[in-house]
Amino acid sequence: MKKVILLSAAAALALSCSQHKDPKILVLYYSQNGSTKAVAEEICNSLGADIEAIVPVTPFDGSFQETIERCLKDREAGILPDIQPLASDIKEYDVIFLGYPVWFGTFAPPVSSILDNVDFSGKKIVPFCTFGSGGLDSSTKDLKEKLPDAEVLPGYGVRAARIDAAPAEVDRFLKENGFIKGEYVKLEEFPAPHPVSEEDVSIFDAAVGDYPMIHAAAEEVASRNVPGGIEYLFTARDIPRDGNQAVSPGTIKVYVLAEEGQVPVFTQVIR
């Protein structure tokens, strides 16, 4: 009798194990100029996931200014771009890595079209994005509002100007969030900020000085050691341009990476 019980228990355990399976993952992305596509393919290759591009019926293939003008015109008219049907059946997937460039502080319009026309209820959504200066936080917030019946997880973002850093950063992101196994250095938390010194200001100015969309003065900073250098988190005050005092100055957060032997670069701005 004991032998029968043991065999029954073993069979039950085997059945339980056979029923457990890894989540099925889809990397779904929109890319206009190839930057988001590069990140999508990096994630796909690391996970061995399925991948599909979001394709507008009428592509956004104009210049930067033409794209801006089209988006503004469509927004004023309440129009979203038509999207070609997806080949993937979203119902078959447990986790969706959703990628996009950040336009006007949030996900590009083709992604809005997908969100309006595809049911993501019950899915885990992992945002990833490329941007000029920032937008991961704001677009993630918008995703949570747009998809109340899905679970939006922490995401990854990279400046298009730093796209060469994406492979190493994606690898770390996937390991840190448990999507793949492997060793990585756990980063310490930023300490409390302190008023900037002259050296801190020079690091901030070197990182943002030639970027036209940032016109700000560093006021406080915190720093931490990262592999290969130091990461800074600056609090900065917007400076009105051309003496224009009509616009009330705001406060921004700017992440700056200073790697050994390299000029400091900013990695993300949070407004």
Side-chain angles (χ1 to χ4, degrees):
M1 177 64 71
K2 183 181 293 186
K3 183 176 181 180
V4 172
I5 293 173
L6 288 174
L7 288 173
S8 298
L13 179 60
L15 178 61
S16 175
C17 290
S18 66
Q19 289 176 339
H20 175 76
K21 59 181 181 179
D22 293 333
K24 191 170 183 182
I25 301 175
L26 173 67
V27 179
L28 180 64
Y29 72 94
Y30 169 69
S31 184
Q32 183 192 25
N33 58 20
S35 295
T36 308
K37 179 182 179 181
V39 179
E41 291 176 343
E42 193 68 39
I43 294 171
C44 173
N45 292 336
S46 296
L47 296 176
D50 295 338
I51 188 169
E52 182 169 356
I54 299 168
V55 182
V57 172
T58 303
F60 289 83
D61 55 3
S63 67
F64 175 79
Q65 188 58 40
E66 289 170 338
T67 298
I68 293 293
E69 291 174 358
R70 175 181 168 183
C71 286
L72 287 173
K73 183 178 179 180
D74 287 353
R75 288 176 67 179
E76 290 174 359
I79 297 172
L80 288 175
D82 291 329
I83 300 298
Q84 295 184 12
L86 295 180
S88 304
D89 184 354
I90 297 299
K91 294 193 296 293
E92 295 183 357
Y93 295 91
D94 307 294
V95 181
I96 313 292
F97 279 75
L98 184 61
Y100 46 85
V102 172
W103 295 355
F104 298 99
T106 192
F107 36 81
V111 173
S112 292
S113 296
I114 284 292
L115 299 179
D116 281 352
N117 292 284
V118 177
D119 185 8
F120 290 92
S121 299
K123 307 301 179 184
K124 294 183 184 295
I125 308 296
V126 185
F128 66 95
C129 59
T130 57
F131 46 74
S133 60
L136 174 62
D137 293 71
S138 55
S139 62
T140 298
K141 179 182 177 182
D142 291 343
L143 276 176
K144 290 179 179 179
E145 293 177 356
K146 195 81 169 176
L147 300 175
D149 297 322
E151 182 181 0
V152 180
L153 302 178
Y156 167 74
V158 62
R159 286 181 62 204
R162 298 184 61 253
I163 198 67
D164 289 346
E169 292 183 353
V170 165
D171 181 73
R172 175 187 175 77
F173 172 78
L174 295 176
K175 289 175 179 176
E176 191 172 27
N177 289 277
F179 293 105
I180 59 175
K181 295 180 179 179
E183 296 183 356
Y184 67 94
V185 177
K186 184 175 176 59
L187 300 182
E188 59 194 57
E189 296 292 330
F190 280 105
H194 58 79
V196 294
S197 65
E198 289 186 9
E199 180 181 358
D200 294 328
V201 170
S202 67
I203 291 172
F204 178 83
D205 289 345
V208 306
D210 61 350
Y211 189 75
M213 303 303 292
I214 301 177
H215 196 231
E219 294 185 331
E220 291 186 326
V221 65
S223 62
R224 64 183 179 184
N225 293 321
V226 296
I230 300 174
E231 184 179 28
Y232 298 86
L233 175 53
F234 286 95
T235 302
R237 174 178 45 83
D238 280 330
I239 300 174
R241 295 178 183 274
D242 303 323
N244 182 7
Q245 300 298 325
V247 179
S248 177
T251 299
I252 61 176
K253 301 286 187 181
V254 183
Y255 288 83
V256 171
L257 179 62
E259 295 181 299
E260 296 178 9
Q262 302 293 323
V263 175
V265 294
F266 80 90
T267 59
Q268 183 180 186
V269 176
I270 300 177
R271 299 185 181 276

